[in-house]
Amino acid sequence: MKMRALVVSGKGKLKTIGEMLAKNGTYAADVIPPAYSCDRERLVVIIATLRSSMPDSFRRFCQELSKDKAQNVALIVDGSETDAKMVANWIATAGANVIDNILYFPVKGLFAGFSKALTPEETSKVNTWYESVLAALN
């Protein structure tokens, strides 16, 4: 399946999730804005640490995700539900289908930015979520 995992976060665990999911797709995990533009991707997974004030490049990228660039977009977020809905609204307004099942993945702690290893429970949580997203596409 033509899929991309795009990460906008400095947190190691979120980068690890991006790399893990990218193994299922055509491309490796990338950052936002990606090195190569999206072109008729079946699924784009955006993995982001969200704040109420996001970089302008991230906002523009989301607001340009039309059906020609991505048919479906799924979100994994470290942030509030309000911020996730704001991003989902940007994407939906651009024309891509936003998968309703948003995975909230809070990464907290003193060393949150450095720890890359996922626990077995976290890996299972991400894999279960990913399977449900794939089921929603069919």
Side-chain angles (χ1 to χ4, degrees):
M1 173 173 62
K2 195 168 179 192
M3 181 201 106
R4 290 178 112 178
L6 302 175
V7 180
V8 60
S9 178
K11 296 182 178 178
K13 284 189 177 195
L14 295 180
K15 291 178 182 179
T16 299
I17 291 171
E19 292 166 4
M20 184 175 79
L21 293 176
K23 290 178 184 176
N24 298 311
T26 306
Y27 299 99
D30 205 347
V31 295
I32 294 176
Y36 300 98
S37 64
C38 295
D39 181 32
R40 297 183 184 160
E41 308 294 336
R42 175 96 191 274
L43 176 64
V44 172
V45 179
I46 295 177
I47 305 152
T49 297
L50 298 180
R51 299 174 300 282
S52 55
S53 175
M54 293 298 293
D56 195 48
S57 59
F58 176 73
R59 181 192 53 78
R60 281 194 316 263
F61 174 80
C62 292
Q63 290 177 333
E64 294 172 358
L65 273 176
S66 64
K67 284 273 188 199
D68 289 336
K69 294 183 178 184
Q71 293 176 3
N72 302 285
V73 179
L75 299 171
I76 298 176
V77 299
D78 171 23
S80 72
E81 186 175 337
T82 303
D83 293 337
K85 286 182 180 182
M86 174 184 65
V87 171
N89 186 45
W90 291 341
I91 296 165
T93 301
N97 176 49
V98 179
I99 305 295
D100 290 333
N101 186 5
I102 297 172
L103 176 60
Y104 293 93
F105 198 94
V107 180
K108 298 181 182 186
L110 184 59
F111 301 104
F114 301 107
S115 175
K116 289 186 173 189
L118 296 173
T119 66
E121 294 82 18
E122 291 170 331
T123 302
S124 176
K125 179 179 179 180
V126 172
N127 286 332
T128 301
W129 172 84
Y130 181 67
E131 290 170 13
S132 72
V133 167
L134 292 181
L137 297 180
N138 296 331

